[in-house]
Amino acid sequence: MAAAQRELRCAPNQHVTLVDIRAIDIQAQDSVDAFQRVVGDPATASRRLAFVVGLSLARGQIRRAAEIRGAAFFATPAEAETWLLSDAPLPA
């Protein structure tokens, strides 16, 4: 992730991030905690963060893990991309 961020062509924290977790099953708490640290790190935070989520139990986990970032959650990648590239506020 750090190497990929160094290759970005925008100012720090101006990139957008789409995370598709539809195929992820519920995770151990230590994995959720580690993900929360990555998402919450101001040094690598994206300008906008969108998750594509399914109906699994992992959906609840990711919502809790990402709540500190004000992330948005979508059912499809197309919906997530549309929001990421817009100026629309966080969906309700």
Side-chain angles (χ1 to χ4, degrees), residues 5-73:
Q5 283 194 320
R6 284 191 297 273
E7 293 179 18
L8 294 173
R9 296 183 187 141
C10 60
N13 307 105
Q14 293 305 302
H15 63 286
V16 296
T17 303
L18 188 153
V19 183
D20 188 341
I21 64 159
R22 290 175 293 176
I24 294 178
D25 292 324
I26 195 161
Q27 299 294 304
Q29 188 59 45
D30 59 332
S31 295
V32 175
D33 293 343
F35 183 75
Q36 191 171 29
R37 284 190 298 277
V38 170
V39 169
D41 184 352
T44 59
S46 55
R47 178 173 52 88
R48 292 192 126 184
L49 175 61
F51 290 91
V52 180
V53 296
L55 299 176
S56 71
L57 292 174
R59 179 183 187 143
Q61 277 189 327
I62 199 61
R63 284 185 181 273
R64 286 188 300 279
E67 67 188 355
I68 62 169
R69 276 294 321 280
F73 301 88

